Amino acid sequence: MNYSHAQLHEQVTTIGLGAVKSIKDINPDILFQYKIFPKHIMTFLTQWQEEDREMQPGDTIIQQVYIPPINSVSLKLIFGVRIQSIIHEAARIGFSYETLEGHAERGISTFTIEQTGEEKLIFKIHTFSKPGNIFGKLLAPVFSLPYQAYCTREALKNVQRQLYIA
C-alpha cells in the first residue's frame, strides 16, 4: 500500500504483564501465532500456520474484522497485512506488519513484549497509520479512531490475560 511514512500518525500503547526475572520466562507463541485480538473483534488466517511453519517476513495474514465486535451478528470486513519484520532481541521480541491495498488503514503496526526493568515486562503496540480510504478519513473522528482505540485496548488486555505472570 502506498503511503508516506512522514504522513502517518504515531501511537504507542502498553500494558504490564507482571513481574518476572527474564523475558525468557514467557512463551512467545501468543505473539507468533497471532493470538493478539479477541475472537469477538477479529478472526484470522495466517500463511505460516496454513503452511505449518514459523512466521517469517513476507508472510500474509487475512483478517476478518467484526463491526460491531460481536462475531455472530456483525458486518464482517476482510483485510490483509504482510509481515515486515520479526524481532528477536535480548529484551524485546515480536513482529511488525504492514497493511495491504484495500485495508481500512495505511501503515505499520509493531507488536512486542519488552523487558523494561529488572523484573518488569510489558506488551506494546506501536503503530504508524492513517485512514486507508476517503470513508475512513471522513468517519475517523466519530467511528474509525474510537473503534481502533477500543480494539487496541482489547488486544492489550487479551495478551495480558494470556501472558500475565504474577
Side-chain angles (χ1 to χ4, degrees):
M1 193 175 238
N2 293 327
Y3 58 86
S4 167
H5 196 277
Q7 295 175 340
L8 301 178
H9 172 72
E10 181 178 15
Q11 184 169 345
V12 178
T13 52
T14 64
I15 196 165
L17 299 176
V20 295
K21 294 183 181 186
S22 169
I23 199 168
K24 295 174 187 171
D25 294 337
I26 61 130
N27 181 349
D29 287 349
I30 303 310
L31 289 180
F32 297 119
Q33 292 178 8
Y34 196 53
K35 295 181 180 179
I36 295 170
F37 294 93
K39 291 182 181 183
H40 69 277
I41 290 176
M42 170 195 312
T43 56
F44 60 88
L45 177 65
T46 69
Q47 182 177 350
W48 65 93
Q49 289 170 338
E50 190 68 19
E51 295 176 4
D52 196 28
R53 59 175 174 76
E54 292 185 4
M55 177 193 290
Q56 61 189 29
D59 281 347
T60 57
I61 303 171
I62 303 302
Q63 305 166 322
Q64 180 171 269
V65 178
Y66 303 117
I67 299 175
I70 306 165
N71 57 4
S72 60
V73 290
S74 65
L75 179 62
K76 292 153 181 75
L77 303 174
I78 307 293
F79 301 118
V81 295
R82 179 164 290 126
I83 302 297
Q84 183 184 51
S85 67
I86 297 173
I87 303 157
H88 285 289
E89 299 170 359
R92 189 169 83 117
I93 59 171
F95 68 93
S96 65
Y97 62 50
E98 192 168 28
T99 58
L100 296 177
E101 195 66 42
H103 199 285
E105 294 287 316
R106 290 180 190 254
I108 301 168
S109 295
T110 303
F111 304 89
T112 54
I113 296 171
E114 300 182 12
Q115 188 141 16
T116 60
E118 202 168 293
E119 291 190 354
K120 184 171 181 187
L121 287 179
I122 61 166
F123 172 55
K124 179 192 284 186
I125 302 175
H126 187 175
T127 61
F128 291 89
S129 67
K130 71 177 187 175
N133 56 49
I134 189 69
F135 296 113
K137 190 173 185 175
L138 291 172
L139 295 173
V142 294
F143 178 75
S144 304
L145 293 176
Y147 189 73
Q148 185 179 36
Y150 166 78
C151 292
T152 298
R153 284 190 309 273
E154 290 298 302
L156 290 169
K157 291 188 290 188
N158 190 50
V159 170
Q160 182 188 52
R161 276 191 300 275
Q162 294 176 79
L163 290 177
Y164 192 83
I165 302 168

